[in-house]
Amino acid sequence: MAQCAQSVQEFIQDSFVPMVAVLCSEDAERVTRKNNLSFPELLRPFCRLTSEGHLRDPNNQVVLVKGLRVSVTGVNTRPPNSGEVRKLLSQAVSACQPPEGLPANVITAGDYDLNISDRSVKASVPWYSDWKETLTQLSSSKYYTATTPWFEAYRENFLQSMPASEHEFLNHYLACMLVVSSREAVPTEQFLKLSQEQHRIQHSGEYTHPKWFIPNTLKYYVLLHDISDGDEQRADSVYEDMKQRYGTQGCYLLKINSRTAAAGPDEQMPDPWSQYLQKTNIHSPYEETVLNNVENNVSSEVDGLDPSDVVSEIHPLKLEQSPDPGYPGNPSEAVNSGDMARTPKQGGLTPGAAPTTHGASLTLNDHDRIRQFIQEFTFRGLLPHIEKNIRQLNDQLVSRKGLSRSLFSATKKWFGGGKVPEKSIAELKNTAGLLYPPEAPELQIRKMADLCFLVQHYELAYSCYHTAKKDFLSDQAMLYAAGALEMAAVSAFLQSGAPRPYPAHYMETAIQTYRDVCKNMVLAERCALLSAEVLKSQAKYSEAATLLIKMTSEDSDLRSALLLEQAAHCFINMRSPMVRKFAFHMILSGHRYSKAGQKRHALRCYCQAMQVYKGKGWTLAEDHINFTIGRQSFTLRQPENAVAAFRHILINDSKQTATQQSAFLREYLYVYKSLSQPSNEGALPQLPLPCIHSAQTRVFFGHEPRLAEGEKQAATHVWLDQEFDREQAQLWAELEEQVVAVANRGSVPISFQPTQYCLSSHTDNLRYPLAVVKEPMFVEVVFRNPLKVLLVLSELSLLWKFTSKDFSGPQGGTNVETITNEKEAAVGKATALNDIISTEVIPEFIVGPEETKVARLKLLPHKTGELHVLGVVYNLGTSEEDNSISEDSQLMRVRGQQNLEIQGPRLNVTKEEKTSVKHGPDRRLDPIITPPMPLLEVFFINFPTGLLCGEIRKAWVEFVNVSAVSLAGLRVASTHPEFFTFGSAASDLTPVTPTAAEHCSAYKTMATPPSVAAVTMVSPAAFGVTGDDRPAVVEIPLSGGGLGPGEALQIPLWLRGPDREGVHEISFLFYYEGMEKNAKLSHRVLRHKVVICASRSLSVKATACRSNTLPSRGRAEEREDERSGSMLVFVDVENINTSEAGVREFHIVQVSSSSRQWRLHKCINPAGDKDSKLASRERGKLCFRATRCRTQEATSDVLEKYTFADLNLGNEQIVSSTTPCADFFFRRGPPSEPRKGGVSTGGGLMRRQSLTPASSIDDSMTTVVRKCSEVELDIIVLWKAYVVEDNKQLILEGQLHVALQTIGKEACSLSQKEEAQEMVLLKFKPDLPPPVSRPSLEQLSHLIKTCLHYPESYDHPFPQKSLCLVPVTLTLSNCSLAQVDVIIDLRHKTTSPESLEVHGSFTWLGQTQYKLQLRPQEVHRLCLRACFFQAGVYNLGTPRVFAKLAQSGTMCETSQQSAMPALIIINSV
């Protein structure tokens, strides 16, 4: 329960005070009227005694009276009727609102800090998230309760408006002051008249009001003297006469108005009357005027309460007195009433009137005199009178009780027996109307109890109430019994020292009796208010809350609202605060306040409850509270709070039905529209719908992509439809870095940043992006509709701010005034500034229920400068179910905006950033508009989507400059440089247009019959190859050095299908610059990605074998070729195509070679198998002789050239040393490691030198040995394929490359079998470094080539000569370029039994071991003699040949395993 300003004891004592009536003469009323006060009003601020009083009880015990307050009212005050009471209470609650300027009132309840004040309106709305910061420091006590002054005002007015009742005497008059002015001619006569009038009012029986406590009412005679206008001596003499007549304790001379007109007008005097007169004076006879004025001022204007609502409803206050029109002070009566003479002109009540001052003729001495007068009256008049009456009543009761009660009890015992059986409340309903005569002893006991209670003698009062309670219950007088129970409980509580506990069950019985039996809710409510305060003071909050909740009913919304609110406060003041119960009962209270017309209090209750429900996931409860807060705020003309509350309903993920959400949305639109109408010039407010995912906003700089036109296919470039791929972005950045390095002579500038056309949350947005003037930019905004209701956005456009700058100036730009389109967009004229920046407006954008939809908004800048995209502006509306846009829905469209605020990435570099949460900038919406730059568009003509592996296809590419600025420095970089070529300088013989080249071969051909290979020498530099690196960046020559505005260039493009089957993504990056240097933007790029599907074609395997033939006596040319070295090359070709591309058969039309050391010499296949045709899954084998190139007279320049040798198998020779065959040869990739699609970093041609460092001797030896067995020969197999497509036969061409590296080791083109072996096991440990390379035994065995020359058969007459000597020549050839030491050992014998069975045994005669030294490439012949003993077949291949390099100590036997056996037949003749 809320904290009160008074203690419970003070509150109860002030609720029951002695009542004193006042009768004034007209002259006396005139004297007080100088101060704008009646006599009772004059006394009211001084009616509380500041000193203690004393009296003695019947037992002669002294009773102290502390802080007694006396109620002084006019005798003719009319009691208010029920309607007036209802208006009075409603007005009192309305007028008492929590002040907004004071510090917030806070309760700490569990984990909650509840703001219990008007600031709770702010604390509950969503945007007021920091409300805790505004709260004052909490009280040091454990429970710091809030005050509810409106409840105290209600309670005070309610208790003051209690009508006098027959069953109790607490609010009956105890005394009457008779006031006469000293200016009267004969004051004593006037006193006599007033005395008679009082007697007539009390005893004539004409009036039902007022009610008097005892028949012998105390009359106190007051002579009122006006010091400023009267004779003081006469007043003193009259007073002396009065003391003689009435006694010193029965009269008083009160002197007032001592202030003269000459006193300073600026002197400030205290006004103690204002606090009493501002409250509604319920005892005023002109009640109606006051209430009407206050009702009009407060209820209608402040609270939105319709006055007719208050009056028209019937209030259930049912007074037990029957209405009586006759009461003292009726104008028809000749009674000069003090209060009736007033005219309704109190200050502050009449609209527009100046505030009235009170007590203007009084000084501080007058205040003291009035205070002294009240004290004298109480101590010398009232308290002795009460003491005397208590004694009299006690004596009467003692004497009367001894006879009557004993006789009565004896009669009951005689006739009916002893104790009356207890009856339930239901059975006693018919006894509620029982009335006692005034002289009944039961009432005398009650009267004595009330007197004791009024003078704070609670012990005796409790005893009397307890006795009366028994008597009333025995008589079944339930109204009287309930009153006695109520006051007995209060008296027990107020007894000092607490001799007995508070009997709460007395109060419960009293309330139940009042409510259910007597049907008197007024008395029941008073009883509940008293009991709740007592229970609260004893910290029995649960019982107090239960009591208050029981008192709520449908008959009074205001009472129910107040009691529910107090019950809610009880719940949070419990030892374990029940915060949710508090919130629930605050909601109930707010509902009842709303029904009672108390809009402000209803709003306050809902806002306080919202603090508990907010953020707990109880969305339906939150929605209900926010909806009510929004409505109440709107009714109270607080549209900002209303919009905030409705906004909160809409932005959360609502669980309401679609119908309910639609109602919420319409309500929001209506409130929002009424709010935004007066402020057309200001910035548009923020709209809550639809939700914008700011972080997902994407920005694209450039034009929309063009669609394909016939055979023309535009470059794919970048567009918003493409999803961000981090690997692809890294790939493009590496490509751009490569081409920038080439354009800047091998070094990348420090300021280089990869070009980003599309910015998103995945890109680096720390720097300002660069856009080009007169080129559009697109902002993609992601809208999400959280509701189940269709949202219609109309006139959707971007808000921006632009600062114009001229970047051509020396200082990097000069600032001009900043321009924004916010004002234009607010009034629906977003295109008004199109001369600066063209703004696209989307007429209608519909977001379906719970849909996430993307809007692309375009801006086109026309000036250079700095642009900032601020947000979006649009009209928000909703469509009806029938989708018809009616006039109502048009009216319900509101215009607003939403900001695009993107939080940058969290910084995590420095220690400070790691220990705190800091975010960097995100500048994707803040581009810098740079001066004009060229804009390139690229189109591909006849570009294929599928190729056979190795297939050569000719396409065309067209470059178009679509800007107004010239273009230069055009270059292309690609992830697959081996995939395409633009040809060399010698490729201008081919057709120049796509149509002319449609049926022509992609190769340069010549009609030549098959013969010895045609040889051509080509430098790699002619094809853009420098050193051993593949050209990663290709420069495209432009006529005149550039491409002017609007100009186009069309050049051929040769493509070669990838060597591996499957789908290949190939990326092209086109780089170009402007003719004039741009300070902000140095270059631009255009991206293009193609997908090529490669199908199987041929698999080529090649093997090189050393030829054992030595120079013979042939033609000089042939002999020279053989002397320089020759070898056999076997080419194995297999058709592995599975006919998925419609291929019928392949023709091997030519085999070419390219090498700096070797060349194909001639084909040694059978003559009839020149043109090899291979159908599906067929295989063919070709054999060629290769010889070394003649380089004896070659210069150093020629050494760098490659020798191309063409061996055509048909009648048409393809010139392999020209475009495109040679281009693709030089662009081929390393065959040993197939590329995975990444960017090549050079090293295209296979490097055949050892990459492992070693010692100088070992390295030179290794080099020499390896070169003996190393072959640098590339085989190019050119083929044609016949394809049937759309009933037409097409001829496809292609070439495959095989790199022969080592003699005897098979090499193959990249086949599909190898592709399946790509999966590699994960390695968790690094591989060990390879050991130092040393020549293997196999390599050493290739140093020497041996050959035996002997007759195939030899005839010898064994019978004549038993020994047969046959001459044999052993030819040794040094294959290396170094000096070699050779040892020949003839002592070797074949020991294997198999060899002995096949070949007979023989022996060598003569020297059996030779040691020779061969110079580089020297041929040495050694003459030997073999000795045979009998005829037979012998194997002469038994000599063992050991060879070593001259500087090495390692010997190795020359391998003879691969040579055929040297068989000789010895015949006997």
Side-chain angles (χ1 to χ4, degrees), residues 177-192:
M177 290 182 182
L178 306 176
V179 187
V180 173
S181 172
S182 63
R183 294 188 50 143
E184 293 278 356
V186 187
T188 53
E189 291 184 4
Q190 194 65 31
F191 278 125
L192 182 60

Side-chain angles (χ1 to χ4, degrees), residues 704 777-778 795-798 830-831 834 837-843 856-860:
E704 292 185 53
M777 63 173 285
F778 293 85
E795 297 181 34
L796 173 63
S797 61
L798 288 172
T831 58
N834 274 3
I837 292 181
S838 299
T839 307
E840 181 190 23
V841 179
I842 299 178
R856 289 175 183 165
L857 299 158
K858 185 169 77 171
L859 294 177
L860 182 62

